[in-house]
Protein backbone atom coordinates (compact mmCIF):
# COMPACT_ATOMS: atom_id res chain seq x y z
CA UNK A 1 0.00 0.00 0.00
CA UNK A 2 1.19 3.50 -0.77
CA UNK A 3 0.75 5.08 2.62
CA UNK A 4 1.34 8.86 2.63
CA UNK A 5 4.91 8.55 3.96
CA UNK A 6 5.80 6.17 1.15
CA UNK A 7 3.82 7.79 -1.68
CA UNK A 8 5.88 10.98 -1.98
CA UNK A 9 9.15 9.02 -1.99
CA UNK A 10 7.79 6.54 -4.53
CA UNK A 11 6.67 9.31 -6.87
CA UNK A 12 10.06 11.02 -6.61
CA UNK A 13 11.94 7.83 -7.43
CA UNK A 14 9.58 7.10 -10.33
CA UNK A 15 10.22 10.60 -11.74
CA UNK A 16 13.99 10.08 -11.46
CA UNK A 17 13.83 6.63 -13.06
CA UNK A 18 11.81 8.02 -15.98
CA UNK A 19 14.51 10.65 -16.53
CA UNK A 20 17.28 8.05 -16.39
CA UNK A 21 15.42 5.98 -19.01
CA UNK A 22 15.04 9.09 -21.18
CA UNK A 23 11.26 8.92 -20.86
CA UNK A 24 9.14 11.97 -20.15
CA UNK A 25 6.80 11.59 -17.19
CA UNK A 26 3.83 13.80 -18.00
CA UNK A 27 1.58 12.92 -15.03
CA UNK A 28 1.70 10.66 -12.00
CA UNK A 29 -1.08 9.94 -9.57
CA UNK A 30 -3.14 7.22 -8.03
CA UNK A 31 -4.58 5.95 -4.80
CA UNK A 32 -3.28 3.80 -1.97
CA UNK A 33 -3.29 0.55 -3.93
CA UNK A 34 -2.12 1.62 -7.39
CA UNK A 35 -0.37 4.30 -9.42
CA UNK A 36 -1.15 5.73 -12.84
CA UNK A 37 1.58 7.13 -15.07
CA UNK A 38 1.27 9.06 -18.31
CA UNK A 39 4.64 9.05 -19.99
CA UNK A 40 6.28 9.22 -23.36
CA UNK A 41 8.60 6.28 -23.83
CA UNK A 42 12.01 6.40 -25.40
CA UNK A 43 11.71 4.31 -28.59
CA UNK A 44 14.60 2.11 -27.42
CA UNK A 45 12.68 0.72 -24.41
CA UNK A 46 9.69 -1.61 -24.38
CA UNK A 47 6.69 -1.01 -22.16
CA UNK A 48 7.56 -4.18 -20.22
CA UNK A 49 11.14 -3.02 -19.57
CA UNK A 50 9.93 0.46 -18.61
CA UNK A 51 7.48 -0.94 -16.06
CA UNK A 52 10.08 -3.40 -14.73
CA UNK A 53 12.62 -0.61 -14.17
CA UNK A 54 10.13 1.80 -12.59
CA UNK A 55 8.64 -0.81 -10.27
CA UNK A 56 12.04 -2.27 -9.36
CA UNK A 57 13.82 0.99 -8.61
CA UNK A 58 10.95 2.40 -6.57
CA UNK A 59 10.37 -0.73 -4.47
CA UNK A 60 14.13 -1.08 -3.85
CA UNK A 61 14.38 2.53 -2.72
CA UNK A 62 11.35 2.28 -0.44
CA UNK A 63 12.53 -0.95 1.22
CA UNK A 64 16.17 0.10 1.61
CA UNK A 65 15.93 3.84 2.24
CA UNK A 66 12.46 4.56 3.65
CA UNK A 67 12.31 1.22 5.48
CA UNK A 68 8.62 1.06 6.30
CA UNK A 69 7.41 -1.37 8.94
CA UNK A 70 6.38 -3.76 6.18
CA UNK A 71 7.91 -5.22 3.01
CA UNK A 72 6.82 -2.98 0.16
CA UNK A 73 6.25 -4.57 -3.24
CA UNK A 74 4.19 -3.82 -6.30
CA UNK A 75 1.73 -6.39 -7.58
CA UNK A 76 3.10 -8.67 -10.27
CA UNK A 77 0.85 -7.43 -13.06
CA UNK A 78 0.22 -4.08 -14.73
CA UNK A 79 -1.98 -2.55 -17.36
CA UNK A 80 -0.82 -0.36 -20.24
CA UNK A 81 -2.74 1.74 -22.72
CA UNK A 82 -1.16 3.63 -25.59
CA UNK A 83 -2.32 7.04 -26.78
CA UNK A 84 -1.25 9.40 -29.52
CA UNK A 85 -1.65 13.10 -30.06
Amino acid sequence: MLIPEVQDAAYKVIREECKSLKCELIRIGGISDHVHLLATLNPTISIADFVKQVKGSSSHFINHEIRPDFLFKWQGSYGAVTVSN
Side-chain angles (χ1 to χ4, degrees), residues 7 15 32-33 45 50 63-64 66 68-69 72 79 85:
Q7 180 177 305
R15 282 185 193 94
S32 63
D33 67 349
I45 189 168
F50 174 76
N63 286 315
H64 291 89
I66 303 297
D69 294 337
F72 179 85
N85 52 8

Side-chain angles (χ1 to χ4, degrees), residues 18-37:
C18 287
K19 285 181 188 175
S20 76
L21 296 171
K22 296 181 175 45
C23 298
E24 179 187 358
L25 181 61
I26 299 167
R27 289 274 195 267
I28 186 170
I31 58 175
S32 63
D33 67 349
H34 68 274
V35 172
H36 291 177
L37 305 178

Side-chain angles (χ1 to χ4, degrees), residues 18 20-23 40-50 53:
C18 287
S20 76
L21 296 171
K22 296 181 175 45
C23 298
T40 60
L41 296 188
N42 183 312
T44 63
I45 189 168
S46 68
I47 293 172
D49 287 340
F50 174 76
Q53 289 296 118

